[in-house]
Amino acid sequence: MGTLNQDLSLFNTLTREKEKFVPLEKGIVSMYCCGPTVYWYAHVGNFRTFLFEDMLRRVLEFNGFEVRHVMNITDVGHLTSDADTGEDRMEIGVRREGKSAWEIAEFYTRAFFEDAKRLNLLKPKVACRATDHIADMIELIRKMEGNGYIYIIDRGVYFDTSKMKDYGKLTGMDFESLNESLKAGARVEFDTQKRNITDFGVWHFSPKDRKRHMEWDSPWGVGFPGWHVECSAMGMKYLGLTFDIHCGGIDHIPIHHPNEMAQSEAATGKKLANYWLHAAFLVFGKGVRMGKSEGNIITVQNLIDEGFDPLAFRYLCLTAHYRSELVFTKESLQAAQNALFTLREHMQRLRENPEEEKGPSRKTEEYRKEFLEAINDDLNMPKALTFVWKLLREEKEVSDRDKYELLLEFDKIFALDLAKSIKKELPKEAEELIRKREEARKIKDWKTADRIREQLKASGVLIEDTPQGVKWRIEKR
Ligand code: AMP
Ligand code: ZN
């Protein structure tokens, strides 16, 4: 961890400006990230957002801040339609797998954290499930009720957004224009009992004719919490009524985050968070978002099954700024993997051929400074990456040892396991083939030896016969 750096700027969706970051408490950052809805596997689009949040945390820590990172697990109440008319997404999992909602949540929460680990995501300091915080949510709704912000309709308890003067400020629109634009663009009709199209459920009633797997008593009737109220209740419970940073994907700007903001502020009279940060989508080609509802998802396991290192995806995410769309193609992922493997090879070479120690040069310090400036400029990772390649091309002014040390330091942000020894990665089958080739060479069966060499090459393993024996390296694929 470095010393406290005061020159970090972040783009705040709320003010639409890049602002100097100043936390509420010196040296400490409170950060809330909207987590996954655990009715299915998280896809790499979701992970683009979680990777952005991970990089943000790493940049804050690199600057010497202690980061109180909270992420929720949405295991109830996230409806299929943003207009509050659909069903609980957990029900989709229940129908698909014939298990209880509790089992679905348990399974996909576990799967989420396994994938997160494979992508080198730091574990949040608090990862909290919505279903463990129902009492906190009820308490929060009671406060909104006490302050006159809610009303009851057949479907449940609703929040009257017209009572929040600046509702929707995150979108940059006033209340009327936001309502008009939502009406115009509505894909589903909205409940006519709602007072405003922007109103949303804070507590949904259970259906009258059946028992849900997940339902609770409340002062208003048996049911389950609304998705937005979950984040408000857990965020404030773990980070205080006002915290520093709130993050999520760009899709949260028009509905989820304004709703979190409105109901929290209605209950407490205080601003919920100072900085609101959003990651742009991962897309296939122009405008085609990867999404569970779109039915076009790719998971981390899919990448592994196709022979990719999950960290190649992490590298790919670094190549685009978090506020720009990231186009996902197999070719771009392959290019990212090639770059990642080349970097690891460089690291190996730098480690194995250390030059004499010269002591850090002025140039080394320049690189360190420029790198810090890039990451502190609203997480400009593409720029930070260019310094890596530039550094590797440096011939005179930076020693191999310094390059190695500096790249290790940069890897605290990138988390690409740059120091991972590539030798360990020789697949078992390749080992076996190398052994067979040695046997063939011993009996001067050059034909077999050459055939095996070609076979190895096709699988990306290059070999070289040296007086010390066979040397191999894994070719970038
Ligand atoms: P969900 O599990 O649907 O609640 O989504 C988890 C997070 O992933 C949210 O912050 C979303 O905004 C984000 N997200 C969903 N789809 C994408 C995508 N295609 N690209 C980037 N982020 C996404
Ligand atoms: Zn949220």
Short mmCIF file of all heavy atoms in Angstrom, two decimals, residues 33-39 42-50 53 74 78 89 227 247-252 257 279-283 288-292 294, ligand 1:
data_model
loop_
_atom_site.label_atom_id
_atom_site.label_comp_id
_atom_site.label_asym_id
_atom_site.label_seq_id
_atom_site.Cartn_x
_atom_site.Cartn_y
_atom_site.Cartn_z
N CYS A 33 -21.38 -1.82 -3.66
CA CYS A 33 -21.53 -2.29 -5.04
C CYS A 33 -22.75 -3.21 -5.13
O CYS A 33 -22.86 -4.16 -4.37
CB CYS A 33 -20.30 -3.09 -5.47
SG CYS A 33 -18.78 -2.16 -5.26
N CYS A 34 -23.62 -2.92 -6.08
CA CYS A 34 -24.79 -3.78 -6.27
C CYS A 34 -24.31 -5.12 -6.81
O CYS A 34 -23.64 -5.19 -7.83
CB CYS A 34 -25.77 -3.14 -7.25
SG CYS A 34 -26.48 -1.63 -6.61
N GLY A 35 -24.68 -6.17 -6.10
CA GLY A 35 -24.16 -7.49 -6.44
C GLY A 35 -25.04 -8.28 -7.40
O GLY A 35 -25.99 -7.75 -7.97
N PRO A 36 -24.72 -9.56 -7.56
CA PRO A 36 -25.43 -10.38 -8.54
C PRO A 36 -26.81 -10.83 -8.05
O PRO A 36 -27.03 -10.94 -6.85
CB PRO A 36 -24.52 -11.60 -8.68
CG PRO A 36 -23.91 -11.74 -7.32
CD PRO A 36 -23.70 -10.33 -6.82
N THR A 37 -27.67 -11.09 -9.01
CA THR A 37 -28.94 -11.75 -8.70
C THR A 37 -28.70 -13.23 -8.95
O THR A 37 -28.37 -13.63 -10.06
CB THR A 37 -30.05 -11.21 -9.61
OG1 THR A 37 -30.03 -9.78 -9.51
CG2 THR A 37 -31.41 -11.72 -9.19
N VAL A 38 -28.84 -14.01 -7.89
CA VAL A 38 -28.33 -15.39 -7.95
C VAL A 38 -29.39 -16.43 -8.36
O VAL A 38 -29.63 -17.40 -7.65
CB VAL A 38 -27.65 -15.77 -6.61
CG1 VAL A 38 -26.32 -15.08 -6.48
CG2 VAL A 38 -28.54 -15.42 -5.41
N TYR A 39 -29.95 -16.23 -9.54
CA TYR A 39 -30.90 -17.24 -10.04
C TYR A 39 -30.28 -18.04 -11.18
O TYR A 39 -30.88 -18.95 -11.72
CB TYR A 39 -32.19 -16.58 -10.49
CG TYR A 39 -32.11 -15.75 -11.75
CD1 TYR A 39 -32.66 -16.18 -12.95
CD2 TYR A 39 -31.47 -14.51 -11.74
CE1 TYR A 39 -32.60 -15.42 -14.10
CE2 TYR A 39 -31.39 -13.74 -12.87
CZ TYR A 39 -31.95 -14.19 -14.06
OH TYR A 39 -31.87 -13.44 -15.20
N ALA A 42 -23.55 -15.96 -13.19
CA ALA A 42 -23.20 -14.61 -13.63
C ALA A 42 -22.47 -14.78 -14.96
O ALA A 42 -21.77 -15.77 -15.16
CB ALA A 42 -22.29 -13.96 -12.60
N HIS A 43 -22.66 -13.83 -15.86
CA HIS A 43 -21.98 -13.93 -17.16
C HIS A 43 -20.82 -12.94 -17.21
O HIS A 43 -20.67 -12.10 -16.33
CB HIS A 43 -22.97 -13.73 -18.31
CG HIS A 43 -23.78 -12.47 -18.22
ND1 HIS A 43 -23.28 -11.23 -18.56
CD2 HIS A 43 -25.05 -12.26 -17.82
CE1 HIS A 43 -24.21 -10.32 -18.39
NE2 HIS A 43 -25.30 -10.91 -17.92
N VAL A 44 -20.04 -13.03 -18.28
CA VAL A 44 -18.87 -12.17 -18.31
C VAL A 44 -19.24 -10.69 -18.46
O VAL A 44 -18.44 -9.81 -18.15
CB VAL A 44 -17.80 -12.61 -19.35
CG1 VAL A 44 -17.18 -13.93 -18.96
CG2 VAL A 44 -18.37 -12.67 -20.76
N GLY A 45 -20.48 -10.41 -18.92
CA GLY A 45 -20.96 -9.03 -18.93
C GLY A 45 -21.09 -8.52 -17.50
O GLY A 45 -20.56 -7.46 -17.15
N ASN A 46 -21.73 -9.29 -16.65
CA ASN A 46 -21.82 -8.93 -15.23
C ASN A 46 -20.41 -8.73 -14.68
O ASN A 46 -20.15 -7.77 -13.95
CB ASN A 46 -22.47 -10.03 -14.39
CG ASN A 46 -23.90 -10.36 -14.78
OD1 ASN A 46 -24.25 -11.51 -14.93
ND2 ASN A 46 -24.72 -9.34 -14.94
N PHE A 47 -19.54 -9.65 -15.04
CA PHE A 47 -18.19 -9.58 -14.48
C PHE A 47 -17.41 -8.37 -14.99
O PHE A 47 -16.48 -7.93 -14.35
CB PHE A 47 -17.41 -10.88 -14.70
CG PHE A 47 -17.75 -11.91 -13.66
CD1 PHE A 47 -18.43 -13.07 -13.98
CD2 PHE A 47 -17.42 -11.68 -12.32
CE1 PHE A 47 -18.77 -14.00 -12.99
CE2 PHE A 47 -17.75 -12.60 -11.34
CZ PHE A 47 -18.43 -13.76 -11.67
N ARG A 48 -17.81 -7.82 -16.12
CA ARG A 48 -17.13 -6.61 -16.54
C ARG A 48 -17.37 -5.52 -15.48
O ARG A 48 -16.45 -4.80 -15.09
CB ARG A 48 -17.67 -6.12 -17.89
CG ARG A 48 -16.77 -5.05 -18.41
CD ARG A 48 -17.39 -3.84 -19.03
NE ARG A 48 -16.30 -2.92 -19.38
CZ ARG A 48 -16.42 -1.92 -20.18
NH1 ARG A 48 -17.55 -1.68 -20.77
NH2 ARG A 48 -15.39 -1.12 -20.38
N THR A 49 -18.62 -5.45 -15.01
CA THR A 49 -18.93 -4.46 -13.98
C THR A 49 -18.21 -4.79 -12.67
O THR A 49 -17.63 -3.92 -12.02
CB THR A 49 -20.46 -4.37 -13.78
OG1 THR A 49 -21.03 -3.83 -14.98
CG2 THR A 49 -20.84 -3.49 -12.62
N PHE A 50 -18.21 -6.06 -12.28
CA PHE A 50 -17.54 -6.42 -11.02
C PHE A 50 -16.03 -6.21 -11.12
O PHE A 50 -15.37 -5.86 -10.14
CB PHE A 50 -17.88 -7.87 -10.62
CG PHE A 50 -19.35 -8.06 -10.36
CD1 PHE A 50 -20.08 -9.04 -11.03
CD2 PHE A 50 -20.01 -7.24 -9.46
CE1 PHE A 50 -21.45 -9.19 -10.81
CE2 PHE A 50 -21.38 -7.39 -9.22
CZ PHE A 50 -22.10 -8.37 -9.90
N GLU A 53 -15.31 -2.64 -10.54
CA GLU A 53 -15.37 -2.31 -9.11
C GLU A 53 -14.13 -2.82 -8.39
O GLU A 53 -13.61 -2.16 -7.47
CB GLU A 53 -16.65 -2.91 -8.51
CG GLU A 53 -17.89 -2.21 -9.04
CD GLU A 53 -19.19 -3.01 -8.93
OE1 GLU A 53 -19.15 -4.21 -8.57
OE2 GLU A 53 -20.24 -2.43 -9.22
N THR A 74 -28.35 -10.51 -4.27
CA THR A 74 -29.79 -10.41 -4.42
C THR A 74 -30.37 -11.81 -4.57
O THR A 74 -30.24 -12.42 -5.63
CB THR A 74 -30.14 -9.53 -5.64
OG1 THR A 74 -29.59 -8.23 -5.42
CG2 THR A 74 -31.64 -9.40 -5.81
N HIS A 78 -35.86 -9.42 -7.06
CA HIS A 78 -35.49 -8.70 -8.28
C HIS A 78 -36.43 -9.18 -9.39
O HIS A 78 -36.31 -10.29 -9.87
CB HIS A 78 -34.02 -9.02 -8.62
CG HIS A 78 -33.48 -8.17 -9.73
ND1 HIS A 78 -32.18 -8.25 -10.14
CD2 HIS A 78 -34.05 -7.24 -10.52
CE1 HIS A 78 -31.97 -7.40 -11.13
NE2 HIS A 78 -33.10 -6.78 -11.38
N ARG A 89 -37.20 -12.99 -10.23
CA ARG A 89 -36.29 -13.77 -11.08
C ARG A 89 -35.96 -15.14 -10.48
O ARG A 89 -35.69 -16.08 -11.22
CB ARG A 89 -34.98 -13.01 -11.29
CG ARG A 89 -35.17 -11.85 -12.23
CD ARG A 89 -33.93 -11.01 -12.36
NE ARG A 89 -34.35 -9.72 -12.89
CZ ARG A 89 -33.75 -9.08 -13.88
NH1 ARG A 89 -32.69 -9.59 -14.44
NH2 ARG A 89 -34.21 -7.93 -14.31
N TRP A 227 -36.54 -5.09 -4.76
CA TRP A 227 -35.09 -5.17 -4.98
C TRP A 227 -34.37 -3.90 -4.51
O TRP A 227 -33.34 -3.96 -3.86
CB TRP A 227 -34.87 -5.40 -6.48
CG TRP A 227 -33.50 -5.30 -7.00
CD1 TRP A 227 -32.36 -5.77 -6.40
CD2 TRP A 227 -33.08 -4.72 -8.23
NE1 TRP A 227 -31.27 -5.53 -7.20
CE2 TRP A 227 -31.70 -4.88 -8.33
CE3 TRP A 227 -33.76 -4.09 -9.28
CZ2 TRP A 227 -30.96 -4.41 -9.43
CZ3 TRP A 227 -33.03 -3.64 -10.37
CH2 TRP A 227 -31.65 -3.80 -10.44
N CYS A 247 -21.61 1.96 -6.63
CA CYS A 247 -21.33 1.56 -8.02
C CYS A 247 -22.30 0.53 -8.55
O CYS A 247 -22.97 -0.17 -7.79
CB CYS A 247 -19.98 0.90 -8.20
SG CYS A 247 -18.69 1.32 -7.14
N GLY A 248 -22.24 0.38 -9.85
CA GLY A 248 -23.04 -0.64 -10.52
C GLY A 248 -22.87 -0.50 -12.02
O GLY A 248 -22.04 0.29 -12.48
N GLY A 249 -23.67 -1.24 -12.76
CA GLY A 249 -23.63 -1.13 -14.22
C GLY A 249 -24.48 0.04 -14.66
O GLY A 249 -25.34 0.54 -13.92
N ILE A 250 -24.26 0.45 -15.87
CA ILE A 250 -24.91 1.62 -16.45
C ILE A 250 -26.44 1.47 -16.48
O ILE A 250 -27.18 2.45 -16.43
CB ILE A 250 -24.33 1.82 -17.87
CG1 ILE A 250 -24.47 3.24 -18.34
CG2 ILE A 250 -24.88 0.84 -18.87
CD1 ILE A 250 -23.64 3.51 -19.57
N ASP A 251 -26.93 0.22 -16.52
CA ASP A 251 -28.38 0.00 -16.55
C ASP A 251 -29.05 0.43 -15.25
O ASP A 251 -30.27 0.55 -15.18
CB ASP A 251 -28.71 -1.48 -16.85
CG ASP A 251 -27.97 -2.45 -15.96
OD1 ASP A 251 -26.86 -2.12 -15.51
OD2 ASP A 251 -28.50 -3.55 -15.70
N HIS A 252 -28.27 0.67 -14.22
CA HIS A 252 -28.86 1.09 -12.95
C HIS A 252 -29.11 2.60 -12.88
O HIS A 252 -29.73 3.08 -11.94
CB HIS A 252 -27.96 0.69 -11.78
CG HIS A 252 -27.91 -0.80 -11.56
ND1 HIS A 252 -28.83 -1.65 -12.09
CD2 HIS A 252 -27.03 -1.58 -10.87
CE1 HIS A 252 -28.54 -2.90 -11.75
NE2 HIS A 252 -27.45 -2.88 -11.02
N HIS A 257 -30.85 2.79 -9.25
CA HIS A 257 -30.15 3.75 -8.38
C HIS A 257 -30.99 4.98 -8.00
O HIS A 257 -30.96 5.38 -6.83
CB HIS A 257 -28.79 4.11 -8.99
CG HIS A 257 -27.80 2.99 -8.80
ND1 HIS A 257 -26.57 2.95 -9.41
CD2 HIS A 257 -27.88 1.84 -8.06
CE1 HIS A 257 -25.94 1.83 -9.06
NE2 HIS A 257 -26.72 1.15 -8.25
N ALA A 279 -20.33 1.37 -14.76
CA ALA A 279 -19.56 0.76 -15.85
C ALA A 279 -20.46 0.57 -17.06
O ALA A 279 -21.62 0.18 -16.92
CB ALA A 279 -19.02 -0.60 -15.40
N ALA A 280 -19.91 0.83 -18.23
CA ALA A 280 -20.66 0.62 -19.47
C ALA A 280 -20.75 -0.88 -19.76
O ALA A 280 -20.04 -1.69 -19.17
CB ALA A 280 -19.99 1.37 -20.61
N PHE A 281 -21.59 -1.21 -20.73
CA PHE A 281 -21.85 -2.63 -21.01
C PHE A 281 -20.75 -3.34 -21.78
O PHE A 281 -20.01 -2.73 -22.54
CB PHE A 281 -23.12 -2.76 -21.85
CG PHE A 281 -24.37 -2.68 -21.04
CD1 PHE A 281 -25.52 -2.15 -21.59
CD2 PHE A 281 -24.41 -3.15 -19.74
CE1 PHE A 281 -26.70 -2.08 -20.86
CE2 PHE A 281 -25.57 -3.10 -19.00
CZ PHE A 281 -26.72 -2.56 -19.57
N LEU A 282 -20.78 -4.63 -21.59
CA LEU A 282 -20.05 -5.52 -22.46
C LEU A 282 -21.06 -5.92 -23.54
O LEU A 282 -22.18 -6.31 -23.23
CB LEU A 282 -19.60 -6.75 -21.68
CG LEU A 282 -18.87 -7.79 -22.50
CD1 LEU A 282 -17.46 -7.91 -21.97
CD2 LEU A 282 -19.54 -9.12 -22.45
N VAL A 283 -20.67 -5.76 -24.79
CA VAL A 283 -21.62 -6.01 -25.88
C VAL A 283 -21.01 -6.94 -26.92
O VAL A 283 -19.78 -7.11 -27.00
CB VAL A 283 -22.01 -4.68 -26.59
CG1 VAL A 283 -22.78 -3.77 -25.66
CG2 VAL A 283 -20.77 -3.96 -27.14
N VAL A 288 -25.54 -4.76 -28.95
CA VAL A 288 -26.17 -6.00 -28.51
C VAL A 288 -25.57 -6.38 -27.16
O VAL A 288 -24.47 -6.93 -27.08
CB VAL A 288 -25.98 -7.16 -29.52
CG1 VAL A 288 -26.74 -8.40 -29.05
CG2 VAL A 288 -26.44 -6.73 -30.90
N ARG A 289 -26.29 -6.08 -26.12
CA ARG A 289 -25.80 -6.30 -24.77
C ARG A 289 -25.81 -7.78 -24.41
O ARG A 289 -26.71 -8.50 -24.80
CB ARG A 289 -26.72 -5.52 -23.83
CG ARG A 289 -26.61 -5.93 -22.41
CD ARG A 289 -27.79 -5.40 -21.62
NE ARG A 289 -27.67 -5.95 -20.28
CZ ARG A 289 -28.53 -5.74 -19.31
NH1 ARG A 289 -29.56 -4.99 -19.51
NH2 ARG A 289 -28.34 -6.30 -18.14
N MET A 290 -24.78 -8.20 -23.66
CA MET A 290 -24.83 -9.57 -23.14
C MET A 290 -25.72 -9.54 -21.91
O MET A 290 -25.54 -8.72 -21.01
CB MET A 290 -23.43 -10.05 -22.76
CG MET A 290 -23.43 -11.50 -22.28
SD MET A 290 -21.82 -12.11 -21.74
CE MET A 290 -20.90 -12.17 -23.24
N GLY A 291 -26.72 -10.40 -21.87
CA GLY A 291 -27.61 -10.37 -20.72
C GLY A 291 -28.35 -11.69 -20.55
O GLY A 291 -28.54 -12.43 -21.52
N LYS A 292 -28.72 -11.96 -19.30
CA LYS A 292 -29.45 -13.20 -19.03
C LYS A 292 -30.81 -13.17 -19.74
O LYS A 292 -31.24 -14.16 -20.32
CB LYS A 292 -29.65 -13.39 -17.53
CG LYS A 292 -28.33 -13.68 -16.82
CD LYS A 292 -28.52 -13.71 -15.31
CE LYS A 292 -27.20 -13.45 -14.60
NZ LYS A 292 -27.31 -13.04 -13.23
N GLU A 294 -31.48 -11.55 -22.41
CA GLU A 294 -31.26 -11.61 -23.85
C GLU A 294 -30.94 -13.05 -24.29
O GLU A 294 -30.96 -13.36 -25.47
CB GLU A 294 -30.08 -10.70 -24.25
CG GLU A 294 -30.42 -9.21 -24.29
CD GLU A 294 -30.51 -8.58 -22.90
OE1 GLU A 294 -30.31 -9.30 -21.90
OE2 GLU A 294 -30.80 -7.38 -22.81
P1 AMP B 1 -27.60 -8.72 -12.09
O1 AMP B 1 -27.02 -10.03 -11.67
O2 AMP B 1 -28.50 -8.82 -13.29
O3 AMP B 1 -28.24 -7.98 -10.96
O4 AMP B 1 -26.37 -7.83 -12.59
C1 AMP B 1 -25.19 -7.66 -11.86
C2 AMP B 1 -24.40 -6.47 -12.38
O5 AMP B 1 -23.98 -6.67 -13.73
C3 AMP B 1 -25.18 -5.17 -12.38
O6 AMP B 1 -24.37 -4.14 -11.82
C4 AMP B 1 -25.47 -4.89 -13.84
O7 AMP B 1 -25.56 -3.53 -14.10
C5 AMP B 1 -24.26 -5.51 -14.51
N1 AMP B 1 -24.46 -5.93 -15.92
C6 AMP B 1 -25.46 -6.65 -16.44
N2 AMP B 1 -25.27 -6.89 -17.76
C7 AMP B 1 -24.09 -6.31 -18.10
C8 AMP B 1 -23.32 -6.21 -19.32
N3 AMP B 1 -23.71 -6.76 -20.46
N4 AMP B 1 -22.15 -5.53 -19.27
C9 AMP B 1 -21.72 -4.96 -18.11
N5 AMP B 1 -22.40 -5.03 -16.94
C10 AMP B 1 -23.56 -5.69 -16.92
#
